[in-house]
Amino acid sequence: MPILINVLLGFLGGQLATRALYDHVFWAYISSDPSSLKSKVSAMQRQDALNFYRHVAQPPAQFNYALMGIAVLILGSCIARVVLEQRHRIANLLSFLSFGVGAGVYVGFVLPVFDAIVKHGHSRATANVESKWLLDIAMWQGAVGICVVATLLLQLSVAEAEEQEAPIVKRKKA
């Protein structure tokens, strides 16, 4: 089961890495005022990012269900491993917490910004509003990315520890 979870975490990490192509432009300005962003980032870069996020915010319904299924499977697997495995309970609990925080941040902070972008439609908002959206998306998706990477690293460390313990158990049986 850990291999499946690592593959699914890699898929989610790939989704976030694709979005980071647009987010990285705004990471340097996260603590700055959104009104100053229009002088620091070109209008074309802002518009490209908004167009990208309009498309991201309107995927096919099956894709959203797939993402929700992946998240539930990862959370369920992590909590099951916390309950069932005593050797790596702390790492599995930290993995569950980090992924849970990442999923909560995504649902609580990223999705509302996507909804605002979609509700506004293809008409242009003011530059300050667009800058605020882009800064919020960049900041919160960066936090989600950190949580997903932390979960992946914790799961990889558990899998590595289990692989190292397996030969010891086989030698004792022989």
Side-chain angles (χ1 to χ4, degrees), residues 34-55:
S35 62
S36 67
L37 190 65
K38 59 186 171 186
S39 64
K40 297 175 183 174
V41 178
S42 72
M44 189 171 80
Q45 286 177 314
R46 291 193 317 265
Q47 200 57 41
D48 284 345
L50 279 172
N51 288 334
F52 174 75
Y53 286 123
R54 278 191 187 98
H55 292 290

Side-chain angles (χ1 to χ4, degrees), residues 25-74:
V25 173
F26 307 100
W27 287 340
Y29 309 110
I30 284 180
S31 63
S32 66
D33 183 35
S35 62
S36 67
L37 190 65
K38 59 186 171 186
S39 64
K40 297 175 183 174
V41 178
S42 72
M44 189 171 80
Q45 286 177 314
R46 291 193 317 265
Q47 200 57 41
D48 284 345
L50 279 172
N51 288 334
F52 174 75
Y53 286 123
R54 278 191 187 98
H55 292 290
V56 167
Q58 297 175 330
Q62 291 77 16
F63 186 73
N64 284 337
Y65 292 137
L67 287 179
M68 286 187 284
I70 288 170
V72 167
L73 184 63
I74 291 170

Side-chain angles (χ1 to χ4, degrees), residues 70-125:
I70 288 170
V72 167
L73 184 63
I74 291 170
L75 287 171
S77 174
C78 289
I79 198 68
R81 292 183 72 161
V82 167
V83 172
L84 299 176
E85 292 185 16
Q86 292 185 6
R87 282 190 221 138
H88 308 290
R89 184 166 281 165
I90 301 296
N92 286 319
L93 180 63
L94 290 174
S95 181
F96 171 76
L97 291 174
S98 72
F99 190 78
V101 166
V105 166
Y106 188 80
V107 169
F109 295 101
V110 176
L111 288 181
V113 176
F114 283 166
D115 287 342
I117 291 172
V118 170
K119 285 179 185 174
H120 204 277
H122 289 285
S123 61
R124 294 231 14 185

